[in-house]
Amino acid sequence: MDGGANGVKTLRAFKDSNEYFITILDDNQTKARKFKHIRDERRYKYGNAELVDCQIELLDSKDLGFIYECRAVIVKWNNGRKSVLVTDIPPDLLDASEITKKYFDRWPMQEKQFRDAKSGVNIHRIVGYGKKVENYDKMDEKHRELCEKIAQLKSRLKAPLAEIEVIEEELVDLYRKERTLRERSNIIEGKRVLDEADSNELEHCEARINKCLRQQKAIEKKDNDAFKRLKKYLKEEKRIRGKDKVYRIDTELDQIMTCFKMSFINLCSLFLTKCMGHERFELQTLFESIFQLGGEAVVDDERERIGLEMNPKEPELMGKLNKGLSILNTMDIHDLDDRFVTFDV
């Protein structure tokens, strides 16, 4: 499922279903406090990433206080990005690599039909792309300016940032303690079940965390505009980091080759319409069943006769092709040397 369809209410509906789900979470759904039972990182078998298998607790906004617990896979891509997948598929059925592959494989299989349709004559690829790497000076300059702005803001906010750093150090220990207590609990019918001592300790820990977060917000509120700009610049810097290189594209070569490809498609369409009685074939079928037929050509000064070898495994298609070539021979086709071209099977 897409990220837009993964409300907790929707995920809960799979409880009594015979089907499984895999979906991706938005950034605002992946706060560190929600994860527990975090396992060691494993290398992604099918790509450049590290995977972390764990459990996640999600709150149902439609049912106040309801806790939904399920499996999560944190995908840490080598380019610095992070994705979080959630699923109800048990680990003994699919490991983290298989979960990740299943989700991201759906894009070419379900949502790239147009690209697949163009791939028959390779017009989904840009000719001349990726041949030469060049410096992207504008992006490099933008990144440098952002870094300067970030440095200036950090210098200006040196005192409040130091206070926030102290609070964050305290939060690290509190988050670790909170996770340990949550891991001791069980989620039954959306409610946390924990013994009284641990329950009281968890409440106390959460109260201290909330107090620290309020203190942090109070510090940021004193320089609200500056902190907003700092967060904005940090987010933008992370987005454009490493984008100072681009591939040069030979657009003229791509346009020329695209003209040839589209001309070929039009000729195929003309052949199927005029000669094959509006038959419908995929380009791959045309290549495999017709264009790759063997044969020989006999050429003299006035005529070029092309004889194709019939494929005995496809007699019906060969019959249609024979009729189509008969019609094609009436179209007065000539080659570049003005020789009359005829076809037969």
Short mmCIF file of all heavy atoms in Angstrom, two decimals, residues 298-320:
data_model
loop_
_atom_site.label_atom_id
_atom_site.label_comp_id
_atom_site.label_asym_id
_atom_site.label_seq_id
_atom_site.Cartn_x
_atom_site.Cartn_y
_atom_site.Cartn_z
N VAL A 298 17.71 -11.98 -52.81
CA VAL A 298 18.28 -12.05 -54.16
C VAL A 298 18.16 -10.67 -54.79
O VAL A 298 17.06 -10.12 -54.90
CB VAL A 298 17.53 -13.10 -55.02
CG1 VAL A 298 18.13 -13.14 -56.43
CG2 VAL A 298 17.61 -14.48 -54.36
N VAL A 299 19.29 -10.10 -55.18
CA VAL A 299 19.32 -8.72 -55.65
C VAL A 299 19.89 -8.67 -57.07
O VAL A 299 20.92 -9.30 -57.36
CB VAL A 299 20.18 -7.84 -54.71
CG1 VAL A 299 20.16 -6.39 -55.18
CG2 VAL A 299 19.69 -7.95 -53.27
N ASP A 300 19.21 -7.95 -57.94
CA ASP A 300 19.77 -7.64 -59.26
C ASP A 300 19.65 -6.14 -59.49
O ASP A 300 19.36 -5.38 -58.57
CB ASP A 300 19.08 -8.46 -60.36
CG ASP A 300 17.57 -8.26 -60.38
OD1 ASP A 300 17.12 -7.14 -60.02
OD2 ASP A 300 16.83 -9.20 -60.72
N ASP A 301 19.84 -5.71 -60.71
CA ASP A 301 19.85 -4.27 -60.97
C ASP A 301 18.48 -3.62 -60.79
O ASP A 301 18.40 -2.42 -60.49
CB ASP A 301 20.35 -4.00 -62.40
CG ASP A 301 21.82 -4.37 -62.56
OD1 ASP A 301 22.51 -4.41 -61.53
OD2 ASP A 301 22.25 -4.64 -63.70
N GLU A 302 17.42 -4.37 -60.98
CA GLU A 302 16.08 -3.78 -60.95
C GLU A 302 15.22 -4.25 -59.79
O GLU A 302 14.23 -3.60 -59.45
CB GLU A 302 15.35 -4.08 -62.26
CG GLU A 302 16.03 -3.48 -63.48
CD GLU A 302 15.26 -3.78 -64.75
OE1 GLU A 302 14.25 -4.53 -64.66
OE2 GLU A 302 15.64 -3.28 -65.82
N ARG A 303 15.56 -5.37 -59.19
CA ARG A 303 14.65 -5.95 -58.21
C ARG A 303 15.44 -6.53 -57.02
O ARG A 303 16.56 -7.03 -57.18
CB ARG A 303 13.82 -7.05 -58.87
CG ARG A 303 12.78 -7.70 -57.96
CD ARG A 303 12.04 -8.79 -58.74
NE ARG A 303 11.28 -8.21 -59.84
CZ ARG A 303 10.03 -7.78 -59.73
NH1 ARG A 303 9.40 -7.86 -58.56
NH2 ARG A 303 9.39 -7.28 -60.77
N GLU A 304 14.80 -6.46 -55.85
CA GLU A 304 15.34 -7.11 -54.65
C GLU A 304 14.23 -8.00 -54.09
O GLU A 304 13.20 -7.51 -53.64
CB GLU A 304 15.77 -6.08 -53.61
CG GLU A 304 16.33 -6.72 -52.34
CD GLU A 304 16.82 -5.69 -51.32
OE1 GLU A 304 16.84 -4.49 -51.65
OE2 GLU A 304 17.17 -6.10 -50.19
N ARG A 305 14.49 -9.29 -54.15
CA ARG A 305 13.49 -10.26 -53.68
C ARG A 305 13.96 -10.84 -52.35
O ARG A 305 15.05 -11.39 -52.25
CB ARG A 305 13.30 -11.38 -54.69
CG ARG A 305 12.33 -12.46 -54.25
CD ARG A 305 12.26 -13.59 -55.27
NE ARG A 305 11.51 -14.72 -54.76
CZ ARG A 305 12.04 -15.67 -53.97
NH1 ARG A 305 13.31 -15.59 -53.62
NH2 ARG A 305 11.29 -16.67 -53.54
N ILE A 306 13.11 -10.68 -51.32
CA ILE A 306 13.44 -11.16 -49.97
C ILE A 306 12.53 -12.33 -49.65
O ILE A 306 11.30 -12.18 -49.56
CB ILE A 306 13.27 -10.05 -48.92
CG1 ILE A 306 14.19 -8.87 -49.26
CG2 ILE A 306 13.55 -10.57 -47.52
CD1 ILE A 306 13.98 -7.66 -48.38
N GLY A 307 13.12 -13.50 -49.51
CA GLY A 307 12.36 -14.69 -49.17
C GLY A 307 12.55 -15.06 -47.71
O GLY A 307 13.68 -15.23 -47.25
N LEU A 308 11.46 -15.16 -46.98
CA LEU A 308 11.52 -15.48 -45.55
C LEU A 308 11.24 -16.97 -45.33
O LEU A 308 10.42 -17.57 -46.03
CB LEU A 308 10.48 -14.65 -44.78
CG LEU A 308 10.63 -13.13 -44.87
CD1 LEU A 308 9.50 -12.45 -44.11
CD2 LEU A 308 11.98 -12.68 -44.31
N GLU A 309 11.92 -17.56 -44.36
CA GLU A 309 11.72 -18.96 -44.03
C GLU A 309 10.54 -19.09 -43.07
O GLU A 309 10.48 -18.41 -42.04
CB GLU A 309 12.98 -19.53 -43.38
CG GLU A 309 14.19 -19.55 -44.30
CD GLU A 309 15.43 -20.04 -43.59
OE1 GLU A 309 15.34 -20.34 -42.37
OE2 GLU A 309 16.49 -20.13 -44.24
N MET A 310 9.61 -19.96 -43.41
CA MET A 310 8.41 -20.13 -42.58
C MET A 310 8.77 -20.85 -41.28
O MET A 310 9.60 -21.76 -41.27
CB MET A 310 7.35 -20.93 -43.34
CG MET A 310 6.06 -21.14 -42.56
SD MET A 310 4.80 -22.04 -43.49
CE MET A 310 4.39 -20.83 -44.74
N ASN A 311 8.13 -20.41 -40.21
CA ASN A 311 8.30 -21.07 -38.91
C ASN A 311 7.20 -22.12 -38.77
O ASN A 311 6.03 -21.79 -38.59
CB ASN A 311 8.19 -20.04 -37.79
CG ASN A 311 8.42 -20.65 -36.41
OD1 ASN A 311 8.63 -21.86 -36.29
ND2 ASN A 311 8.39 -19.82 -35.39
N PRO A 312 7.55 -23.41 -38.84
CA PRO A 312 6.51 -24.46 -38.80
C PRO A 312 5.78 -24.53 -37.46
O PRO A 312 4.71 -25.13 -37.38
CB PRO A 312 7.31 -25.74 -39.06
CG PRO A 312 8.71 -25.41 -38.64
CD PRO A 312 8.90 -23.96 -38.95
N LYS A 313 6.33 -23.92 -36.44
CA LYS A 313 5.69 -23.96 -35.12
C LYS A 313 4.54 -22.97 -35.00
O LYS A 313 3.76 -23.03 -34.06
CB LYS A 313 6.73 -23.68 -34.03
CG LYS A 313 7.82 -24.74 -33.93
CD LYS A 313 8.79 -24.41 -32.80
CE LYS A 313 9.87 -25.47 -32.69
NZ LYS A 313 10.84 -25.16 -31.59
N GLU A 314 4.45 -22.04 -35.95
CA GLU A 314 3.38 -21.04 -35.91
C GLU A 314 2.69 -20.97 -37.27
O GLU A 314 2.76 -19.95 -37.97
CB GLU A 314 3.94 -19.66 -35.54
CG GLU A 314 4.54 -19.58 -34.14
CD GLU A 314 4.99 -18.19 -33.77
OE1 GLU A 314 6.06 -17.77 -34.25
OE2 GLU A 314 4.27 -17.51 -33.02
N PRO A 315 2.01 -22.03 -37.67
CA PRO A 315 1.39 -22.06 -39.01
C PRO A 315 0.31 -20.99 -39.19
O PRO A 315 0.18 -20.42 -40.28
CB PRO A 315 0.81 -23.48 -39.10
CG PRO A 315 0.64 -23.92 -37.67
CD PRO A 315 1.77 -23.28 -36.92
N GLU A 316 -0.46 -20.73 -38.15
CA GLU A 316 -1.53 -19.73 -38.27
C GLU A 316 -0.96 -18.35 -38.52
O GLU A 316 -1.42 -17.61 -39.41
CB GLU A 316 -2.39 -19.73 -37.00
CG GLU A 316 -3.58 -18.77 -37.08
CD GLU A 316 -4.43 -18.82 -35.82
OE1 GLU A 316 -4.19 -19.70 -34.96
OE2 GLU A 316 -5.34 -17.97 -35.70
N LEU A 317 0.08 -18.00 -37.76
CA LEU A 317 0.71 -16.70 -37.95
C LEU A 317 1.38 -16.60 -39.31
O LEU A 317 1.33 -15.56 -39.97
CB LEU A 317 1.72 -16.45 -36.83
CG LEU A 317 2.52 -15.14 -36.92
CD1 LEU A 317 1.58 -13.94 -36.89
CD2 LEU A 317 3.53 -15.04 -35.79
N MET A 318 2.00 -17.70 -39.76
CA MET A 318 2.67 -17.68 -41.06
C MET A 318 1.66 -17.47 -42.19
O MET A 318 1.95 -16.81 -43.19
CB MET A 318 3.44 -18.98 -41.26
CG MET A 318 4.64 -19.16 -40.32
SD MET A 318 5.90 -17.87 -40.47
CE MET A 318 5.56 -16.89 -39.00
N GLY A 319 0.46 -18.03 -42.01
CA GLY A 319 -0.59 -17.82 -43.01
C GLY A 319 -1.00 -16.36 -43.08
O GLY A 319 -1.16 -15.79 -44.17
N LYS A 320 -1.17 -15.74 -41.91
CA LYS A 320 -1.51 -14.31 -41.88
C LYS A 320 -0.38 -13.47 -42.46
O LYS A 320 -0.62 -12.49 -43.18
CB LYS A 320 -1.79 -13.88 -40.44
CG LYS A 320 -3.04 -14.50 -39.83
CD LYS A 320 -3.23 -14.03 -38.40
CE LYS A 320 -4.48 -14.65 -37.78
NZ LYS A 320 -4.66 -14.20 -36.37
#
